Amino acid sequence: MSPSPLAIQPADVLAAAQRLRGVAHRTPVLRSRTADARSGATLFFKAENQQRMGAFKFRGGYNALAQFTPEQRRAGALAFSSGNHAQAVALAGRLLDIPTVIVMPHDAPAAKLAATREYQAGQAGSEVVLYDRYTEDRDAIGQRLATERGMTLIPPFDHPHVMAGQGTAALELIDEVGALDALLVCVGGGGLISGCATIAKAMLPDVRVIGVEPEAGNDTQLSLARGEIVTIPVPRTIADGAMSPASGQLTFPVIQALVERIVTVSDAQLVETMRFFAERLKQVVEPTGCLAAAAALNPGLAGLPDLRGARVGVIVSGGNVDLPRFAEYLAR
Ligand SMILES: *Cc1c(COP(=O)(O)O)cnc(C)c1O
């Protein structure tokens, strides 16, 4: 039996880049002599914390909604998320004039709720639907909305258009800095790394793509070792964007085919990296956004190849963190 084809191809990422041209920010690539000295490598930080709505998720969300048929546009998009995907879909819907319903737990961070509602403000048919995560079934609520209103569900990572959109971050990075020996990318459900690996390996066949997960949430590392998707209990980590208990049915085969390995970092290393970004690069980066950089800045990490002398791309995935909490982390 031949393996089924991968969910996305390099051409899908190139097509996504066309759709995003002039809409998504072409985020800057940051350099730091201190970081280079510490890692022994030459590091190129792709600052997706400066992307619209504060994370790379805008790329995938917009790429998905931009491909809706006229009927899908009229009925609108539906997303479940308490995090960056919610804001990404809400903003993409606003820009494309597509109504959005975002299903969020009633105890989602107030700042995220407010930001999502702000993107939807004044748009007919757009709303946040709150549910009680302890007594109500989120999937049932979503199913009902999708059936009643004919809305199209856009998942946060396991969708070809989402995966392809996320890959444009790596495309821009390689466009700007040229050849890389390695690319470090954080892994939650695997949308970002599957898109980035697809385009990076096409442009630079020898590039080593390495995923980074939180120590407590190493489901993809386990899955690669076992050769099938492993589901773990919802991990306890400050990297709230990487709390997915399993990688996706579409993302995992891409990871298996193109990602060399996955390494893990501790919450303490994430905090240290947040401090590094704030102090040295004057960047606000959320804990999940620090995963890949934390690996680069800790060259002794178990399983991490020797990157001394290498040119290494590092995706800094997002910057949405509650400021009081951010201050608390830095004060530790
Ligand atoms: C969603 C998210 C991730 C994880 O991305 P996946 O595509 O699920 O692997 C990482 N960082 C940030 C900031 C995110 O919002």
Side-chain angles (χ1 to χ4, degrees), residues 48-49 53-57 83-85 112 156-158 162-163 166 185-195 212 220 239-244 246-247 251 255 285-291 315-320:
E48 285 296 294
N49 58 313
M53 54 66 48
F56 72 90
K57 289 264 188 353
N84 290 331
H85 180 61
K112 297 215 159 147
F157 51 84
D158 215 22
V162 173
M163 294 157 66
Q166 318 305 32
V185 188
C186 53
V187 183
L192 178 64
I193 198 170
S194 58
V212 186
T220 308
D240 56 358
M243 281 172 50
S244 50
S247 41
T251 59
I255 293 170
V285 183
E286 64 183 277
T288 317
C290 288
L291 280 164
I315 308 281
V316 179
S317 60
N320 290 329

Side-chain angles (χ1 to χ4, degrees), residues 26-37:
R26 194 177 168 96
T27 53
V29 177
L30 309 177
R31 303 287 322 276
S32 158
R33 231 197 267 225
T34 312
D36 287 358

Side-chain angles (χ1 to χ4, degrees), residues 7-303:
I8 56 166
Q9 298 298 323
D12 299 315
V13 181
L14 297 175
Q18 289 301 324
R19 288 182 199 103
L20 287 165
R21 191 182 296 268
V23 182
H25 294 323
R26 194 177 168 96
T27 53
V29 177
L30 309 177
R31 303 287 322 276
S32 158
R33 231 197 267 225
T34 312
D36 287 358
R38 188 161 151 188
S39 68
T42 304
L43 303 178
F44 301 93
F45 296 104
K46 178 67 170 164
E48 285 296 294
N49 58 313
Q50 295 187 39
Q51 186 50 265
R52 290 185 84 160
M53 54 66 48
F56 72 90
K57 289 264 188 353
F58 177 68
R59 298 174 180 273
Y62 188 90
N63 189 47
L65 267 63
Q67 294 180 74
F68 274 18
T69 63
E71 300 86 90
Q72 283 180 306
R73 282 175 169 262
R74 268 193 298 276
L78 176 72
F80 303 121
S81 173
S82 55
N84 290 331
H85 180 61
Q87 291 166 69
V89 170
L91 176 56
R94 155 124 261 155
L95 296 172
L96 291 161
D97 204 14
I98 294 173
T100 56
V101 170
I102 311 295
V103 184
M104 280 188 168
H106 73 295
D107 54 352
K112 297 215 159 147
L113 190 62
T116 307
R117 285 188 165 136
E118 209 166 293
Y119 291 134
Q120 295 176 321
Q123 202 185 7
S126 286
E127 59 176 319
V128 171
V129 172
L130 296 177
Y131 73 101
D132 182 341
R133 64 167 117 205
Y134 303 103
T135 62
E136 289 178 291
D137 179 2
R138 187 189 77 164
D139 292 332
I141 294 170
Q143 255 330 310
R144 184 169 51 74
L145 286 167
T147 318
E148 281 175 8
R149 305 190 193 178
M151 304 185 94
T152 303
L153 176 67
I154 301 299
F157 51 84
D158 215 22
H159 187 294
H161 300 167
V162 173
M163 294 157 66
Q166 318 305 32
T168 59
L171 171 62
E172 285 177 10
L173 172 61
I174 296 167
D175 249 5
E176 182 158 340
V177 307
L180 293 172
D181 301 300
L183 179 64
L184 297 176
V185 188
C186 53
V187 183
L192 178 64
I193 198 170
S194 58
C196 287
T198 297
I199 194 67
K201 294 296 269 186
M203 297 170 85
L204 308 167
D206 294 330
V207 72
R208 311 174 75 169
V209 181
I210 297 164
V212 186
E213 286 187 306
E215 238 168 47
N218 67 334
D219 56 283
T220 308
Q221 187 184 50
L222 297 173
S223 302
L224 276 184
R226 191 154 337 147
E228 62 183 22
I229 297 171
V230 172
T231 302
I232 61 171
V234 176
R236 282 180 176 277
T237 165
I238 61 169
D240 56 358
M243 281 172 50
S244 50
S247 41
Q249 301 290 334
L250 302 180
T251 59
F252 184 63
V254 178
I255 293 170
Q256 241 182 339
L258 303 177
V259 174
E260 177 179 315
R261 67 178 69 203
I262 308 257
V263 299
T264 65
V265 300
S266 67
D267 279 6
Q269 286 167 327
L270 292 178
V271 169
E272 196 199 342
T273 305
M274 285 173 84
R275 182 175 298 117
F276 164 80
F277 275 122
E279 218 164 61
R280 296 296 177 143
L281 292 176
K282 317 303 168 195
Q283 299 292 305
V284 175
V285 183
E286 64 183 277
T288 317
C290 288
L291 280 164
L297 294 174
N298 288 280
L301 219 57

